[in-house]
Amino acid sequence: MMTLFHWEKLSPTEFLQLQEYITYANKKLKDVLSEFTGDTNSGQYKQDEAIDFARFCTFINMYLVNVPEELCRHLFLSFLKKTGKGNAGPPPTLGSISERNPSTVSENEASQLVRQATVDNGRRSMSQKSITSILNISDSGDLWLRQSFAEKGRSLLRRRSTDIQTGFISLKDVVCCLSLLEAGRPEDKLEFMFRLYDSDSNGILDASEIECIINQMMTVAEYSGWDVSELKPILEEMMQEIDYDSDGTVSLDEWKRGGLTNIPLLVLLGMDSTLTDEGTHLWRLKHFNQPAYCNLCLSLLLGVGKQGLCCTFCKYIVHERCASRAPAHCILTYCKSRKVSHPMNHHWVEGNCAGKCDRCKKFIKAYNRVTGRRCRWCKITLHNRCASQVNPDCDFGEFREHILSPLHICPAVLGRKRRVQADLRDSETGDAGISEITDDGKQSTETGSVSGSLKIIPSSSSIPLLVFVNPKSGGKQGTRILRKFQYLLNPRQVYNVMCDGGFFPGLQFFKDLPRFRILCCGGDGTVGWLLDSMDKMNFEVRSPVAVLPLGTGNDLARCLRWGGGYDGENLRKVLHHISNSTVVMMDRWQIEFSSTDDTGDDVDPIPCDIINSYFSIGVDASIAHRFHVMRERHPEKFNSRMKNKLWYFEFGTSETLSATCKNLHENIDILCDGVALDFSTGPSLEGIAFLNIPSIYGGSNLWGDTPRLKKRKKTNQTSKDRDRECSSGSMSSSDLSLTLQDVGDNLIEVVGLLNCIHVAQVKGGIQAGRRLAQCSSVVIRTRRRFPMQIDGEPWMQPPCTIAVTHKNQVPMLMAPHASKKLSFFGFFRKQ
């Protein structure tokens, strides 16, 4: 039986899903293409033949991981409809009408097709009364109804004539379209497209080949929300001007030269997220919720979708057609000479300044023309007439404490460059850290950052903030936060950890500063990655780290009062919280595994050897491992928090019935500070957790607090020392009920879990775990295979011996207490 579909293009949700898969791809499209075609010559691509659905699925599965079959079908049919190369299969058996071209079918014939399909389907799923009603409508004399039925008939015929099993699409078009969505430099993408469509390998493209490339660009632009009517004339004009020698063909040099000077095309290809040249705008396509005006032609930006381009660094706004004529007067991020005595001046950007004037406190009427101006650094907003009454010197506004002034950044001397390379070689960074800096002192990252050839002049008046953002955390939140911080601060103090070589470039750039803070925007895994990188940098004095939670559980951020997740709040509020935060020391624990048996090659890799939050064995790790395995196989089923919770509920229910970790205490031995835990007198356990912080499972307190302990915290200041003395040596429940949990007490808490229902009760805040010990070192010996997890990363571990010892303490920033708003009834209660 034929598999028939009707699909004109991908839906917006599926296009975003495709972008996510390409973001997490482990291979480059260029390498996949060479492997797929068996072409060892990576410089030329000769793929003129079309591919069917089976080979298309093979190519997609080689490039992307676990792509849903439905998405593959819809993507294949989108190219099939677009190219018109679909090879129709045998028509359905609905009479001779089905064998004809849909455009040649008359109204009566199309209506007859609908009637026959309605009767056939109705016999299976509809009542006879409903069928008769529909057929009467088709026989109606109403012209509109008859034309509607005729169009439905033609549509039905088109659906049945599209056979996914016999259709063919162009491999070139698929690769060109996917390359636009892949990360990389624009010049590399342009060269890749040129090589792809240069079929005869003569080094030139003719008009038809260029038109094929432009068509793929237009398709991706339409999916991305561009105004295609605005973009099309820009690309057509570029095609007319790109032939510089007027010979009727385009060479590679002409193609790259024309593409790299076309701003909208560069935005479509994916501009770098960090600046390379001083004064150069970083454009991005944007939808404006309020009326916006072009800073160049002074006219209103029109359109329903994304109306124009906006600079991420200075908020300069232009039409797509005006971008090439926009002056390169973006902000300067460093000073070219160290001998600068004059203060920093305001950097004014005119227009689109809704709000009140900071000078006269009157509203700026920015809805009907380009009026008003705003300083990019201090964010002051003024009328044009009030600007002359303000001091031209800029003090960087309310966030002067966090901003790294361009006057404090200057080019580094040659000796400094060599010393940077020597420091990296002496540190324990390995090959990854050394490869980030070349012989001339510049970073060899994808974005071409020049922070390696610059140095910071320390200043006593500020404590600059070093920001690291993981754009893959929190869906699209990471990318938006990266852009916002690049506007609020100096772009040279904001780093994308996925594109800028990890954490080493930023840490190396700030290494010689005596005082600075670090903000890590990501999940608990990103924070652990940062702390490991700081260990390898061998800082004399470590800087404190604040956390902007973008992950799923965010247990570390919760215990430091940064919240359970970023909900889109104003980042200015986050900067104020960092200014008022306090430094606390947090323990980190080294965990080592030694296998007791020869388990063979079928062993899961251990995710890390450092415990920042918690380590657990048993029932909770089993649920997390099932969730992890299912998400790796079918990532499309885990695209929302609600679905994730439902999956956790399903795996928890199945774990309750199967009880894979039943009587765990009979197959495990634990020594806490040399004292063995006795499990014979207590209830049976299915899980054991080792806690460093008072948060697990997304905000649950497994150690638990009792009312007696809360009163003791307020009245007895010396209880903490006494509790430490009795906790490790004495394992009685009376002693453990009085012990305190602290992230910096050099002690780790051991807690038992009875079963899966007990885990659910802990998650709901109904009960706490069974306190077993509080100690400074742990030795664990397992006698069978158990699921384990470290900071939310699960795996299956065969029998082994585990040693947990204290590694070090790191400074972390704890957010201030949230100010509670006093309610109406609370006011009278207070009185």
Side-chain angles (χ1 to χ4, degrees), residues 278-281 326-330:
E278 288 289 276
T280 303
H281 294 287
H329 56 50
C330 195

Side-chain angles (χ1 to χ4, degrees), residues 608-664:
C608 56
D609 59 352
I610 301 294
I611 301 175
N612 294 312
S613 300
Y614 60 87
F615 165 61
S616 67
I617 307 173
V619 58
D620 60 333
S622 177
I623 298 173
H625 184 261
R626 294 186 183 189
F627 180 88
H628 176 75
V629 172
M630 179 62 71
R631 184 172 57 180
E632 288 292 324
R633 293 178 180 175
H634 306 283
E636 74 279 0
K637 297 181 180 180
F638 300 83
N639 52 10
S640 69
R641 291 183 179 179
M642 181 56 65
K643 287 184 179 180
N644 293 349
K645 292 180 180 179
L646 292 177
W647 278 111
Y648 269 116
F649 176 77
E650 178 180 342
F651 294 139
T653 304
S654 61
E655 177 63 29
T656 303
L657 299 176
S658 59
T660 59
C661 301
K662 188 177 181 179
N663 297 326
L664 173 141

Side-chain angles (χ1 to χ4, degrees), residues 297-565:
C297 66
L298 308 182
S299 60
L300 181 67
L301 273 68
L302 302 175
V304 179
K306 299 178 179 179
Q307 301 98 329
L309 300 176
C310 178
C311 177
T312 301
F313 297 154
C314 66
K315 302 300 181 184
Y316 192 86
I317 299 173
V318 292
H319 288 100
E320 298 168 27
R321 60 179 181 269
C322 300
S324 59
R325 297 183 288 113
H329 56 50
C330 195
I331 59 171
L332 300 179
T333 59
Y334 71 95
C335 185
K336 296 183 179 180
S337 175
R338 188 170 182 176
K339 300 179 180 179
V340 177
S341 58
H342 62 81
M344 188 76 178
N345 293 329
H346 291 287
H347 183 93
W348 297 112
V349 179
E350 296 187 355
N352 305 297
C353 302
K356 289 186 177 180
C357 175
D358 291 315
R359 174 69 179 178
C360 64
K361 308 302 179 183
K362 295 181 180 179
F363 281 100
I364 300 175
K365 298 179 180 180
Y367 55 85
N368 58 353
R369 68 178 190 276
V370 177
T371 182
R373 57 179 59 185
R374 176 186 290 109
C375 177
R376 185 266 178 226
W377 292 109
C378 64
K379 308 301 184 293
I380 186 175
T381 304
L382 300 172
H383 286 104
N384 291 334
R385 62 178 181 272
C386 297
S388 60
Q389 306 175 18
V390 176
N391 189 346
D393 299 339
C394 182
D395 61 354
F396 296 99
E398 57 181 336
F399 302 122
R400 64 180 68 91
E401 178 187 8
H402 300 300
I403 296 177
L404 181 61
S405 173
L407 299 180
H408 296 154
I409 306 176
C410 64
V413 296
L414 182 60
R416 165 62 179 161
K417 300 174 189 177
R418 299 300 181 189
R419 187 165 64 87
V420 167
Q421 193 176 21
D423 290 343
L424 277 179
R425 187 181 297 111
D426 295 337
S427 64
E428 299 177 357
T429 56
D431 295 338
I434 298 176
S435 63
E436 296 301 327
I437 295 183
T438 59
D439 292 336
D440 59 352
K442 294 184 180 181
Q443 296 181 18
S444 57
T445 60
E446 292 184 359
T447 57
S449 175
V450 296
S451 297
S453 60
L454 299 174
K455 69 175 182 179
I456 303 176
I457 304 173
S459 174
S460 59
S461 60
S462 65
I463 309 177
L465 182 66
L466 175 59
V467 181
F468 292 108
V469 182
N470 187 351
K472 291 187 178 181
S473 298
K476 297 295 182 180
Q477 287 183 322
T479 305
R480 291 194 297 267
I481 289 174
L482 177 68
R483 293 196 302 260
K484 291 180 179 179
F485 273 122
Q486 286 176 333
Y487 177 68
L488 291 173
L489 306 174
N490 190 331
R492 295 203 180 273
Q493 61 187 114
V494 183
Y495 287 81
N496 182 346
V497 298
M498 304 306 297
C499 298
D500 295 343
F503 296 97
F504 289 107
L507 293 175
Q508 185 65 49
F509 188 40
F510 276 68
K511 185 176 182 180
D512 293 335
L513 281 182
R515 295 191 308 164
F516 68 94
R517 300 187 184 101
I518 301 176
L519 175 62
C520 183
C521 305
D524 290 347
T526 306
V527 179
W529 182 17
L530 169 62
L531 297 178
D532 291 342
S533 301
M534 296 180 70
D535 289 339
K536 297 176 182 179
M537 292 296 296
N538 295 328
F539 282 100
E540 295 181 1
V541 179
R542 296 183 66 135
S543 298
V545 178
V547 182
L548 184 63
L550 299 181
T552 304
N554 301 312
D555 291 297
L556 184 57
R558 291 175 189 269
C559 72
L560 295 175
R561 294 202 292 259
W562 293 106

Side-chain angles (χ1 to χ4, degrees), residues 43-62:
Q44 302 291 338
Y45 303 100
K46 302 177 181 179
Q47 293 80 22
D48 295 330
E49 73 281 3
I51 59 174
D52 58 4
F53 179 67
R55 295 196 66 197
F56 173 78
C57 292
T58 303
F59 177 78
I60 292 296
N61 291 328
M62 290 174 61

Side-chain angles (χ1 to χ4, degrees), residues 2 52-53 76 80 85-90 162-168:
M2 295 295 177
D52 58 4
F53 179 67
F76 179 84
L80 188 68
K85 295 181 181 179
N87 197 10
T162 303
D163 188 357
I164 195 173
Q165 301 298 338
T166 59
F168 288 88

